[in-house]
Every structure is written in structure tokens, then in C-alpha cells.
Amino acid sequence: MRLNPRPATASGTRRLARRHPAALLALFLCSTGGALAALALPAALGHTVDGLIDGGPVPWSGLLLCAVLTLAETGFDAGAAVLGTSTTARLTAHLRTRTTARVLAAEPRDALAVPTGDLTARLTARTADAAAAPVTAAGAVAGVLLPLGAVTGLFLIDPWTAAAFLLGAPLLVALLHTFTRRTADAGADYQRAQSVIAHRLTEALDGADTIRAARTGAREYRRILEPLGALADHGRRTWTVYGRAAGQSALLLPLLMLLVLAVGGLRLHAGAIGVGDLVAASRYAALAVGIGALTGALGALARSRAAARTLDPLLTLDPLPHEGLGPLPGGPGHLEFRDVGVAQDGKPDGKPLLTEVHLTVPGGTSLAVVGRSGSGKSVFAAVAGRLLDPDTGTVLLDGVPLTAMDPALLRPEIAYAFARPALPGTTVGDTIAFGAWTADPEAVQAAARAARADGFIGLLPYGYATPLTDAPLSGGERQRLGLARAFAHPGRLLILDDALSGLDTVTEHHVRRALDERAGRCTRVIVAHRLSSAARADRVLWLEDGRVRATGPHEELWADPEYRAVFRTEVAEAGAVPLARTEVEAR
């Protein structure tokens, strides 16, 4: 399993920042401009006040400058807000796409080491939090520049007034440090609790029918919501951290302001500074103690950092290795297993899922894979099309090892259909056309007819253009859409992993005929639970505990009573006579 992050030469924030440097530079300039305008305003205001007190003409130029600086600060802040929001959205989209691409490019066994619900949370909420880091960092310039500039302004007005403020500066620094550390810890714990809830909810949704049948809804409800207590605790911790920081700052900052004004008043009484200087000093003191923006930025960066840590294992997943080869042109789909072995989780001491599988499937023929539950049928199907790499041995397609082929060249040659297919796309037609390439409308309709899906599609409100959300589908109808998608993307190898289990006998008969029509042009691997599927195949692979128990035509294997027991649910008596191929076809 390869979920340990590799050392990177640049942080994730830097990598993201390189995606939109112009926007981030504009955001930086807006934040800097707003901060500079805010810092210039107290000096201009103090100078204007002095002009008014002197009793001379009204200082219109000073008043105009104050108005311009106020408008400039407002305009820069508005520009920073717009740029920050739009850039965060674009970076979030990029990070989600990049993370999803890494997950899809990795071997499924590695990617699925993260529970499905947790993976969903990471690809949605965590990416949004992590993608906000560059924008937050660029916008935090104002949070840093304002207090530093304000302290500098105080020194320029009067060093004694500035020294009074600096007496409390260590307390401010300690407050910010404690706030940042505690916010990061609470945020990380909160995200972990969210992931647990998301994972349990996904499990419950996947097994909704089972839960309903077993009438265990109340128990599942309690199981899903059980982490809410921990989530609430972490949330309260987060708000407690914020509350303490706010309370401490509410006590500290007025004291600092009072100290600065007191010292400034004494300096005014001594004639060291003027009234305008005192007004400017009070404004600078307010800017210096106004750490709300900096506190918010630090909190956001802490959350982004915690979210980025959860994405690192996904972003450092190793892609499927290959040598850049492609399948031999025009190959018939000759499939060969050479001493293939698969261990659970890819660990040497893991439970063996397949052991020393040695098999040859001639191109253009059909192979039925049978066995009891847990015998390794789905693992075999996954290895046959490189959804899973074997831990030992080699799988070859037309003489070329699958591990040597570029996945972009291999994937169009292999079509899959599953018992519970995912239905990507917006409409029914979209989900059939979805694949290594987008099938054209004619191919979509021909595939739907082959999968016997055209009948129920024609009854939908808008046919193939019906949104999937408006198309209530049974399990068998979903399977037929999955089969249609596989038929719409013909390659040299077609793998059906229990993809006929939800079909009625008549529909299955027509689908098998469509499969037979591909004889000689496409190799078909069919994970079979029904006797009819095994009887119709050119050859049967009988698996038991991950090992090859026997291979051969169905008629020959039927003589073994243990082979017949595999299909006991379809055989009236254990000693029933074998079904001839013609009898199976007539069913």
C-alpha cells in the first residue's frame, strides 16, 4: 500500500500559487494598497486637524486627501474580496481535479485504502479548505502590514508613545501563537470526526436495501450519528479557542489603547506633540491592536494546513507503472495468466486471494468464472483488466504484459460491466456514452438494444435525454445500462463481473446472444453465478479459495458433484442430469 507521502520540494501552497500567479499578485497588490491607504489616513487626518486648530483657512486639500484615502481603502478591500473569492473557487476546482486524477490513476487497491466516505469528504470539503491557503496568505499581507506600519507610525510621531504600546506587544504575540496552535489541533480533530460520519453514511446508503429488509434503520441511525458527540466536542473546542482569544484580546487591547492615550496625553501636555499628533497616534494604536484580521487569517491557514495533510496521501499516490507500450495492433484478445497471485492489501503476509493461477484464454472465446462466494472470482476479473495488479506473476494481453502497457492505450481495449454499476453523466444517454471515448448516438442506441435497455428507456419522459435524477431505475435496469455502456465501447476484451445477476431469464438470454455475436472479435470473461452462463461459455474456470480447482468445458466439469454443488440453488436435485447447451439456450 502506497499511502505514505513522499517528501516534496515545494509546499502544496506554493504549487497552488503557481496556478494563478497574476490573480494572486493582483490580490497581494489590493491587500497592500488597502493597508497602505489605511496607514496613510491617520497621518493625513492628524495634519488636517492641526490645520483646522491653527485657525487658518479650511485645509480643503487635507480633507480631500482624507476622502481619497478612505475611498482607496474601501476600493482596494472590495477588489481583494472579489479576487479572493474567484481565485479560491478556481484553485478549489484545480485541486479537486488534480486529487481526483491521482486517485483514478493509482491502482484501486491503493486508492481505496481510504474509506469511501472519508475519500468523498477529502475530495470536497478538504480541497476547499486547502485551496484557500494561497489566497489567505496573499490577503494576510494587510494583517501583518497594518500592525507593523502602525507601530512605525507611532515611533515617527513620538517614541515614548510607541514604547508604551510595545510594553504589551509580547502578550499579543503569545496570544496569537496560542490561538494558532489550538485552532490547528481542534480543526484537525473536527475534520477526522466529519470523515468518520461521512464514511458511515456512505456505507448505510450503499446498503440501504439490506438495512430496510433487516429493519435495522434505528441502529444504523445511532451508528452514523454516534461520532456527533465527538464532533460537537471538537466544535466547542474551536469556539472556545476563538472565545478565549476574543476575551483575552477584549481585555488586553483596551488596556493598550488606554496606555497609549495616557502617555500621548502626557506628551501633549508637555508640548512634545500636538493635537493632530495625538489624533494620529490614537488611530495608529487602533490599527496596531486590531489583530482581528490577522487572527482570522491565522485560523484559516491552520485549517488549510490540517486539510492539506489529509490530501497529501492522495496527492502522493503512485500512478500505475508502465513501460509506455501499447497492445499489439489487431490482436484478437488472447489473455494469459502466468502464475498469478494476489494477497489481501498487497501484503506478503496477507490473506491469499488468488494463488498460482495459470490459464490461457484464446482470443475471441468466452470464459465463465465460477466458484463459491469468496473464491476469488471478482479478484480474477479485476486482475484480468488491470483494475488490480497481481503481487506475483504476470497477465498478458496478446503477448504484451498488462503492466507494460500505457493505461491510456490499454483502457480503450477493455470494457467492464459490473453488478452494481456507477452511472456517471447527466442523462441516460450520457451514461451509456461515457467511457474511454464518447460513443456517438447511433452506437449508444445500438448498445442499448443489445443490452435490452431500449425498451425501458423508450418509456422514460425524454428517452435517452431523460436526466438520471428523473429516471427511477431498478437493479436490473441499472445493470442493463452498465452492459450497454460496455457494448458501446467495444475492445478486444469484455469483462462482466456478475453483470447479469439482476436480469430476468428472458433478458439474460437476449444479452447472452448479443455476447455470442462478438465471438471471434472479442474475448469475453464472465463471472457467473447462474448455471446457464457457465453452460453457454466456451470454457469454464472453477475457482476455490483463490486457486484453480479445474478448467474445461461445462459438460466435462458437470460430472464432478462438487462442481454441481456450486450451482445448487439452480439444480433441483444434487444428482440431476447435466443440462445440454441447447436446453440452456431454450431457457
Side-chain angles (χ1 to χ4, degrees):
M1 188 171 68
R2 294 167 289 219
L3 279 174
N4 294 322
R6 298 190 300 269
T9 57
S11 69
T13 300
R14 292 178 181 174
R15 285 195 300 269
L16 283 173
R18 288 196 289 267
R19 295 296 304 176
H20 296 286
L24 291 173
L25 176 61
L27 175 61
F28 172 82
L29 293 176
C30 284
S31 299
T32 304
L36 292 176
L39 290 172
L41 183 58
L45 185 60
H47 181 73
T48 303
V49 169
D50 283 337
L52 290 171
I53 292 177
D54 289 343
V58 177
W60 293 109
S61 59
L63 293 173
L64 179 61
L65 178 60
C66 291
V68 169
L69 289 174
T70 302
L71 291 175
E73 180 183 1
T74 304
F76 280 127
D77 288 346
V82 172
L83 285 170
T85 303
S86 59
T87 305
T88 299
R90 290 197 295 269
L91 290 176
T92 300
H94 162 73
L95 187 56
R96 284 175 178 164
T97 302
R98 177 171 161 232
T99 308
T100 303
R102 291 303 292 255
V103 171
L104 294 177
E107 186 183 34
R109 181 166 48 183
D110 289 348
L112 295 179
V114 179
T116 304
D118 188 11
L119 180 62
T120 302
R122 296 189 196 193
L123 292 176
T124 52
R126 305 295 176 270
T127 51
D129 289 338
V135 171
T136 303
V141 173
V144 175
L145 187 59
L146 281 175
L148 292 180
V151 172
T152 302
L154 284 175
F155 267 108
L156 292 176
I157 293 172
D158 181 58
W160 289 100
T161 306
F165 174 81
L166 291 179
L167 286 176
L171 295 177
L172 279 176
V173 173
L175 176 63
L176 290 176
H177 174 73
T178 302
F179 170 79
T180 303
R181 177 173 52 82
R182 291 179 178 176
T183 298
D185 294 341
D189 292 340
Y190 190 88
Q191 290 172 356
R192 280 192 288 270
Q194 277 185 321
S195 296
V196 172
I197 294 175
H199 174 56
R200 293 184 180 181
L201 178 59
T202 302
E203 285 183 329
L205 292 175
D206 287 341
D209 291 339
T210 302
I211 294 171
R212 188 181 301 110
R215 303 185 68 179
T216 57
R219 186 193 308 169
E220 283 299 304
Y221 180 83
R222 290 192 298 271
R223 186 180 75 90
I224 294 169
L225 298 185
E226 183 269 333
L228 275 180
L231 189 70
D233 290 340
H234 301 320
R236 281 191 290 269
R237 277 177 55 203
T238 301
W239 286 111
T240 299
V241 170
Y242 275 100
R244 287 178 178 174
Q248 291 168 355
S249 62
L251 176 64
L252 176 62
L253 301 185
L255 290 176
L256 280 176
M257 283 289 297
L258 181 61
L259 181 61
V260 169
L261 290 175
V263 172
L266 292 174
R267 298 291 288 169
L268 175 65
H269 180 73
I273 61 174
V275 175
D277 292 331
L278 181 60
V279 171
S282 66
R283 293 287 299 169
Y284 280 130
L287 292 176
V289 301
I291 62 170
L294 183 57
T295 302
L298 291 175
L301 287 173
R303 290 192 299 273
S304 296
R305 185 178 179 184
R309 282 198 295 266
T310 68
L311 296 179
D312 281 342
L314 303 180
L315 291 170
T316 54
L317 282 171
D318 292 322
L320 282 173
H322 62 86
E323 299 173 15
L325 301 180
L328 293 177
H334 184 88
L335 187 64
E336 186 176 358
F337 279 61
R338 294 180 181 175
D339 297 321
V340 169
V342 178
Q344 191 171 36
D345 296 329
K347 298 178 181 178
D349 57 346
K351 175 186 175 182
L353 303 177
L354 287 180
T355 305
E356 297 179 356
V357 176
H358 194 85
L359 177 73
T360 298
V361 185
T365 64
S366 60
L367 174 74
V369 184
V370 305
R372 299 182 187 276
S373 177
S375 61
K377 301 185 297 297
S378 290
V379 177
F380 179 91
V383 171
R386 211 192 176 189
L387 293 184
L388 180 68
D389 278 343
D391 298 302
T392 59
T394 307
V395 181
L396 300 94
L397 181 62
D398 289 325
V400 182
L402 295 185
T403 53
M405 297 186 197
D406 185 339
L409 300 176
L410 171 65
R411 199 49 53 201
E413 299 294 335
I414 302 174
Y416 267 97
F418 299 95
R420 300 178 64 184
L423 301 180
T426 304
T427 66
V428 172
D430 288 342
T431 198
I432 298 176
F434 185 88
W437 68 91
T438 302
D440 57 55
E442 292 76 15
V444 166
Q445 294 178 19
R449 288 193 295 272
R452 302 293 287 181
D454 57 330
F456 74 82
I457 292 176
L459 298 177
L460 295 174
Y462 304 105
Y464 290 90
T466 302
L468 286 169
T469 54
D470 297 336
L473 302 173
S474 66
E477 289 169 343
R478 294 178 68 93
Q479 279 193 358
R480 279 182 272 174
L481 288 182
L483 286 165
R485 183 168 60 218
F487 289 157
H489 301 85
R492 66 184 73 188
L493 181 59
L494 174 61
I495 301 174
L496 308 185
D497 186 0
D498 201 20
L500 306 178
S501 59
L503 307 185
D504 59 82
T505 304
V506 174
T507 301
E508 182 191 2
H509 171 70
H510 287 284
V511 171
R512 289 202 318 269
R513 287 182 59 185
L515 291 171
D516 291 342
E517 291 173 359
R518 287 161 170 74
R521 298 182 289 112
C522 172
T523 302
R524 290 138 291 145
V525 176
I526 305 167
V527 173
H529 290 278
R530 292 181 178 178
L531 178 61
S532 54
S533 297
R536 194 170 188 123
D538 296 317
R539 192 178 179 194
V540 175
L541 168 65
W542 178 14
L543 292 176
E544 189 171 279
D545 296 328
R547 294 180 177 272
V548 177
R549 174 69 181 268
T551 61
H554 169 75
E555 290 85 353
E556 293 180 5
L557 296 179
W558 189 257
D560 189 331
E562 293 190 30
Y563 176 78
R564 294 198 300 269
V566 173
F567 306 98
R568 184 163 293 166
T569 56
E570 289 200 38
V571 180
E573 297 178 2
V577 296
L579 294 177
R581 184 181 298 268
T582 54
E583 291 175 320
V584 174
E585 292 175 353
R587 293 182 54 177

